[in-house]
Amino acid sequence: MRRTLRDRIQQFLAFASLIVIFGFFSIVSPNFFNYGNVTNILFSTVVIGLLALGTTFVIITGGIDLSIGTGMALCAVISGVLIVDLGVPLPLGVLGAILFGGLIGLVNGMNVAILGLPPFIATLAMMLVAQGLALVVSNSTPIYFDQTPAYIDLSIGSLIPGTDFPNAVLILALAAVVAGVLLNRTVLGRYTYSIGSNEEATALSGIDVRRWKIIIYTLAGLFTGLAGVMISARLGSAQPATGMGYELQAIAAVVIGGTSLSGGKGSIVGTVIGALIISVLNNGLQIMSIPQEWQNVILGAVILLAVYADMARKRAR
Amino acid sequence: MTDLLLEARGVGKSFPGVRALQDMHIALRRGEVLALVGENGAGKSTLMKLLSGIYVPDEGEFFLEGEPLRVSGPRDAQEQGISIIHQEFNLMPDLTVAQNVFIGREPRSGGFFLGERALNNRAAELIDRLHLPLDPRQVVGDLTVAKQQRWRSQALSYDAKVLIMDEPTAALNDAEVQVLHDLIRRFRTDTTGVIYISHRMDELKAISDRITVIRDGRYVDTLDTATTSIGEVIARMVGREITGDAKPEGVRTGREVVLSVRGLTTKPLLRDVSFDLQEGEILGFAGLMGAGRTEVARALVGADPVVSGTVTLRGTPVRIANPAEAARHRIGYLSEDRKHLGLLLEQDVAANVVLSSVRDLFQSFGFVRTRAMREKAIELVGRLRIRTPSVDQTVKFLSGGNQQKVVIAKWLVKDCDVLIFDEPTRGIDVGAKEEIYRLLNDLAEQGKSIIMISSELPEVLRMSHRVVVMSEGRITGTLTAGEATQESVMHLATLRSDKNHGDETADFPSEAGAR
């Protein structure tokens, strides 16, 4: 009972902040609150949102995954190689890119769980490896999906008849539901919290912590793969040199959503709200013609504020 | 032979450089509580780890109900009916009670999805059967330490044949130990047995049928509890006899008051706490868990905010806003949780000893004077008889007793003359306890003024020149060494606050020494 109540309060606070920020921009800018722009905000949440969903699991175990940004770029390149260069059928190509993301996560998981490397180090190394491989595999040139419009429609096409509501948003929503079910309703989720809460006790309770950690990092990798597909579909091309920096935005979304970097606490709803807060801020500040540099300053301040508010609230209990 | 539930025959285990166990024998009968005692380092935890499959024995065998027993891991141990309640690291504080109880074997549908309702129902049944005051949906981190211990003990064990408890009462007060012992008695049936590891000798008498003593990794003896004195058990543990009825030393009255506390009140708990600490005195603080003894210490050194109250140090009123200021006034607080709050476990002895005084004593122009530091550390290691290969030894490898001495050394370097010891002997074995006691007595003799907070009544009684007893955030009485007995202290400790509102003398006219 207490757990759900406490989580609700946390989510409510994050949600309230989202509403406040949203309201603020609606008042100060006439171009902010309309169907086109709101759709735009949702659309721009997709990539960060997908990365944040996967990494929420890792962070709840008390770990961190820095490889998701460049990993995403590598998966985008893999998708391009499969579909454009090799002519693999679209569904198989997409599946291959997602599974490749899983492979990246699997290696991360094994480095952390079996070799015992600190997650920060293991995934920092993977971040560099993925960046390099993306350039090597693609010959440092973007791969364009001009010949496969169906691929681009995965992101910007619309399944909802008579609208231009992008599929990407629907995919993010579906992914969030899947992540929520996994975290709250399955053994996987229970052990995610358990490992983050007290790893040694979890092992002593007879749970194969190493195996579950590998599974959790692999899961994060699958989300990375999906993000790679979605970003290349949106851009119409796989850009090998991108990706760096996305991991920090994703981690920021997770943290703003109330997930603790020390592990044991967090929620999917919080992460989704965190990702939305970041998009709304970026979008609103852009509409207000605030330069990109200042947007970053403001985003940094928001992260400090969100985490401080969360800690202050817990201390007050 | 067949009445043996669990048996160890000639079990041995070595680690590089250490023979942790050799030729170990244990025989647990059906329906009994077998106490396992030995000093720290005697091999108890190695034995536990062998039984939970974390280590594999080098030699010898285990038998469960007469059949050879091989355990491949903690999960396997549980499935074979052996539940082990480890001393520490046993709970996931972010999960609920029910989620903790069934971790690793939660009710599932389809092998992967959780049956949360079934989980809570089964936990509720279990809690009901064991008469525990718990809500299965409560998050464990919100429970007090005592409650955590209480439920985990039973909860983990409900379908076990053999329940092994490693120091289950280390953080419990006497009343809570009673509750735990009731639970153990309820668990024990004709087909189950309990191995009970404890440092607290009085408990062994209360709960165990037989006592197995081990020392230095070897089996020493097994004794029938009913016909054995505590003295005999301790003698076998340490290889020498310890006199069990030591008295407080150097008790005198009419000494100068060093520290005077008046009307100390905090928002959450403390109400109008007033007491005097005299020079060269050991002032014991007794009370049940949650009575507010630790809170008094924390409020005094400025670790917790105070609503009202005055502190007078040698006649001068002082305001202490944080522990650094307390240290400047030469008041040292030695926390009950020395591993988290008292020591840098990963650092060496020398670094720990000088930690609080580096800035005052061991620097010139901002650089640390390493040699002077080491010399001071070596001096204190000798003075306090800290058993360590050198001052370069990492503190986490020292035994509990020696770790505690390192903490004491730290405050002595700082030249504190008011020392507040919070549970000074928690988790320390019997022989080392005696040394800590001797050290406390020596410090008092040298004129240090000591506040000693303790949940172990015998410890309070044998050490304290005077005893302050607390209940529910108030002081319910102050007893002289002569007045303090188990009964008088317990009586004051269980006084309800609604009863000591003004008319306490009417309710308890015989109350001795109440301020």
Side-chain angles (χ1 to χ4, degrees):
Chain A
M1 225 53 200
R2 304 267 308 263
R3 139 164 256 117
T4 48
L5 185 64
R6 207 199 295 170
D7 281 3
R8 294 266 156 75
I9 293 171
Q10 165 61 28
Q11 283 161 15
F12 176 76
L13 280 182
F15 189 66
S17 325
L18 177 62
I19 297 297
V20 167
I21 297 169
F22 198 87
F24 172 77
F25 285 125
S26 303
I27 292 164
V28 297
S29 168
N31 302 325
F32 182 80
F33 186 54
N34 55 61
Y35 171 78
N37 193 48
V38 171
T39 308
N40 216 350
I41 290 171
L42 293 175
F43 188 45
S44 65
T45 311
V46 170
V47 170
I48 295 296
L50 286 173
L51 293 176
L53 287 175
T55 208
T56 299
F57 287 81
V58 171
I59 291 177
I60 292 175
T61 66
I64 193 95
D65 191 345
L66 299 175
S67 70
I68 51 178
T70 60
M72 170 182 79
L74 178 55
C75 291
V77 167
I78 294 295
S79 178
V81 167
L82 289 174
I83 294 168
V84 177
D85 297 352
L86 300 177
V88 172
L90 195 79
L92 282 182
V94 168
L95 187 66
I98 293 173
L99 289 180
F100 192 85
L103 182 69
I104 296 174
L106 179 72
V107 175
N108 279 334
M110 294 205 295
N111 284 339
V112 169
I114 295 175
L115 299 186
L117 294 175
F120 188 94
I121 304 296
T123 60
L124 178 72
M126 181 58 80
M127 172 170 108
L128 296 170
V129 169
Q131 174 89 90
L133 281 182
L135 292 167
V136 169
V137 172
S138 65
N139 248 332
S140 302
T141 47
I143 304 171
Y144 293 93
F145 292 94
D146 300 347
Q147 306 307 315
T148 50
Y151 185 80
I152 295 170
D153 275 348
L154 281 177
S155 175
I156 62 176
S158 184
L159 276 176
I160 303 176
T163 70
D164 56 357
F165 194 76
N167 289 333
V169 177
L170 300 180
I171 287 174
L172 175 64
L174 187 67
V177 170
V178 170
V181 169
L182 279 174
L183 190 58
N184 295 314
R185 296 264 181 271
T186 69
V187 176
L188 169 76
R190 177 61 40 79
Y191 295 166
T192 303
Y193 282 111
S194 185
I195 290 169
S197 193
N198 188 337
E199 187 170 332
E200 189 164 354
T202 307
L204 287 174
S205 306
I207 290 155
D208 190 344
V209 169
R210 293 199 288 186
R211 193 182 110 205
W212 286 103
K213 270 193 182 172
I214 292 173
I215 292 173
I216 289 161
Y217 278 87
T218 306
L219 179 70
L222 292 172
F223 277 95
T224 304
L226 181 57
V229 170
M230 296 317 292
I231 194 171
S232 54
R234 187 180 85 194
L235 300 173
S237 63
Q239 300 283 348
T242 58
M244 197 82 85
Y246 278 82
E247 68 285 334
L248 296 182
Q249 296 234 4
I251 291 167
V254 174
V255 168
I256 291 173
T259 296
S260 159
L261 280 180
S262 50
K265 295 186 184 71
S267 69
I268 292 299
V269 176
T271 293
V272 170
I273 293 171
L276 283 172
I277 286 178
I278 291 180
S279 307
V280 168
L281 270 179
N282 283 338
N283 178 284
L285 294 171
Q286 228 152 20
I287 284 184
M288 288 174 68
S289 309
I290 290 172
Q292 176 71 41
E293 298 82 352
W294 283 105
Q295 292 179 29
N296 283 342
V297 172
I298 291 167
L299 184 59
V302 166
I303 293 171
L304 289 181
L305 204 68
V307 176
Y308 178 75
D310 191 31
M311 283 169 54
R313 191 177 55 78
K314 277 175 190 149
R315 229 178 284 139
R317 279 199 318 125
Chain B
M1 204 43 121
T2 49
D3 64 339
L4 286 184
L5 186 58
L6 181 73
E7 197 189 0
R9 273 190 223 153
V11 171
K13 177 72 188 172
S14 296
F15 299 103
V18 197
R19 285 204 81 171
L21 279 186
Q22 43 188 319
D23 197 25
M24 182 56 63
H25 292 271
I26 296 275
L28 175 67
R29 295 173 185 159
R30 289 172 206 273
E32 82 167 345
V33 177
L34 177 71
L36 182 66
V37 300
E39 293 194 88
N40 282 347
K44 290 167 301 183
S45 58
T46 307
L47 195 60
M48 292 307 99
K49 286 182 174 158
L50 289 173
L51 274 168
S52 51
I54 296 170
Y55 299 154
V56 179
D58 299 335
E59 57 200 31
E61 267 192 295
F62 290 102
F63 295 88
L64 183 65
E65 298 177 317
E67 301 291 322
L69 171 73
R70 266 179 212 88
V71 186
S72 64
R75 174 68 163 277
D76 187 38
Q78 263 178 25
E79 279 165 5
Q80 301 202 45
I82 300 174
S83 252
I84 300 183
I85 291 143
H86 296 270
Q87 192 175 351
E88 288 168 50
F89 308 120
N90 219 337
L91 291 175
M92 280 62 79
D94 300 309
L95 301 190
T96 66
V97 169
Q99 289 168 353
N100 265 282
V101 172
F102 290 101
I103 191 77
R105 47 177 191 196
E106 16 320 82
R108 301 171 186 192
S109 54
F112 191 57
F113 291 93
L114 295 165
E116 202 68 1
R117 188 170 303 165
L119 177 86
N120 284 325
N121 288 343
R122 280 172 59 180
E125 268 170 39
L126 180 63
I127 287 165
D128 223 33
R129 209 170 77 214
L130 301 166
H131 313 291
L132 294 174
L134 288 172
D135 175 352
R137 291 184 186 82
Q138 208 169 9
V139 175
V140 165
D142 295 342
L143 303 174
T144 65
V145 172
K147 265 186 169 172
Q148 290 184 26
Q149 298 258 355
R150 219 188 286 172
W151 77 263
R152 80 173 189 188
S153 317
Q154 266 308 306
L156 274 170
S157 67
Y158 76 111
D159 58 357
K161 290 177 202 156
V162 180
L163 173 61
I164 302 175
M165 307 175 98
D166 190 0
E167 295 247 17
T169 59
L172 302 191
N173 65 42
D174 291 346
E176 286 154 346
V177 169
Q178 278 308 315
V179 175
L180 181 82
H181 285 180
D182 286 345
L183 292 176
I184 292 174
R185 290 189 193 102
R186 233 170 280 151
F187 168 78
R188 180 178 55 179
T189 65
D190 291 343
T191 56
T192 61
V194 179
I195 295 180
Y196 187 93
I197 301 173
S198 179
H199 282 312
R200 286 165 75 165
M201 289 298 140
D202 48 334
E203 284 178 19
L204 304 186
K205 271 285 184 199
I207 191 69
S208 73
D209 300 305
R210 294 186 306 147
I211 302 173
T212 291
V213 183
I214 66 177
R215 184 171 71 227
D216 301 330
R218 292 165 188 272
Y219 174 86
V220 175
D221 203 354
T222 298
L223 307 157
D224 275 321
T225 309
T227 58
T228 309
S229 77
I230 296 298
E232 286 173 83
V233 176
I234 294 175
R236 280 173 175 74
M237 274 174 64
V238 298
R240 63 183 184 277
E241 194 109 24
I242 290 177
T243 48
D245 44 22
K247 286 261 176 291
E249 291 173 14
V251 181
R252 275 183 285 137
T253 53
R255 295 196 261 207
E256 188 201 344
V257 171
V258 175
L259 179 77
S260 182
V261 175
R262 288 291 174 273
L264 195 66
T265 300
T266 65
K267 210 169 166 199
L269 184 64
L270 300 182
R271 296 289 173 269
D272 197 21
V273 169
S274 303
F275 63 92
D276 288 328
L277 176 67
Q278 299 168 3
E279 184 167 10
E281 174 181 56
I282 299 178
L283 183 64
F285 266 67
L288 301 179
M289 191 82 41
R293 296 161 301 162
T294 296
E295 285 77 2
V296 169
R298 289 182 57 91
L300 193 53
V301 299
D304 289 339
V306 170
V307 174
S308 64
T310 58
V311 177
T312 313
L313 198 58
R314 287 190 193 74
T316 322
V318 290
R319 284 193 60 83
I320 300 172
N322 54 53
E325 279 185 32
R328 219 168 297 140
H329 289 297
R330 300 199 293 164
I331 299 173
Y333 172 54
L334 291 76
S335 164
E336 59 185 324
D337 189 354
R338 64 176 172 269
K339 282 189 179 155
H340 288 121
L341 305 178
L343 289 168
L344 312 176
L345 285 177
E346 302 289 340
Q347 303 244 356
D348 60 34
V349 172
N352 272 282
V353 168
V354 302
L355 178 65
S356 321
S357 26
V358 171
R359 265 189 67 195
D360 306 333
L361 300 177
F362 303 106
Q363 66 151 353
S364 45
F365 308 109
F367 292 95
V368 176
R369 289 163 49 216
T370 313
R371 185 182 312 175
M373 254 169 60
R374 278 182 56 92
E375 280 164 5
K376 190 71 186 177
I378 288 168
E379 177 202 321
L380 275 146
V381 163
R383 197 165 121 208
L384 302 187
R385 279 173 300 206
I386 301 174
R387 253 169 283 150
T388 171
S390 82
V391 293
D392 304 321
Q393 175 72 304
T394 306
V395 163
K396 72 172 172 191
F397 295 122
L398 301 185
S399 71
N402 284 305
Q403 287 182 355
Q404 182 67 285
K405 287 184 187 175
V406 170
V407 181
I408 297 172
K410 179 171 76 177
W411 291 107
L412 291 183
V413 173
K414 189 84 187 168
D415 201 23
C416 285
D417 45 18
V418 174
L419 292 169
I420 305 172
F421 288 87
D422 201 346
E423 306 287 355
T425 64
R426 171 171 296 171
I428 293 176
D429 57 60
V430 179
K433 271 185 186 176
E434 289 298 322
E435 282 191 53
I436 298 286
Y437 294 153
R438 208 175 312 136
L439 193 55
L440 290 183
N441 281 328
D442 289 348
L443 292 172
E445 187 67 28
Q446 292 158 21
K448 307 278 186 198
S449 306
I450 294 173
I451 291 175
M452 188 192 77
I453 299 167
S454 174
S455 293
E456 290 187 46
L457 210 38
E459 178 170 291
V460 172
L461 296 177
R462 69 158 288 182
M463 293 303 297
S464 309
H465 301 179
R466 289 185 305 142
V467 181
V468 171
V469 189
M470 294 190 68
S471 172
E472 301 187 0
R474 297 159 196 273
I475 289 181
T476 48
T478 304
L479 306 169
T480 65
E483 291 164 341
T485 60
Q486 300 239 12
E487 292 73 26
S488 62
V489 172
M490 277 315 282
H491 180 62
L492 289 172
T494 50
L495 275 187
R496 298 271 302 281
S497 56
D498 52 358
K499 286 191 180 168
N500 58 42
H501 251 322
D503 61 349
E504 72 190 277
T505 43
D507 268 356
F508 302 99
S510 65
E511 220 45 79
R515 295 193 65 90

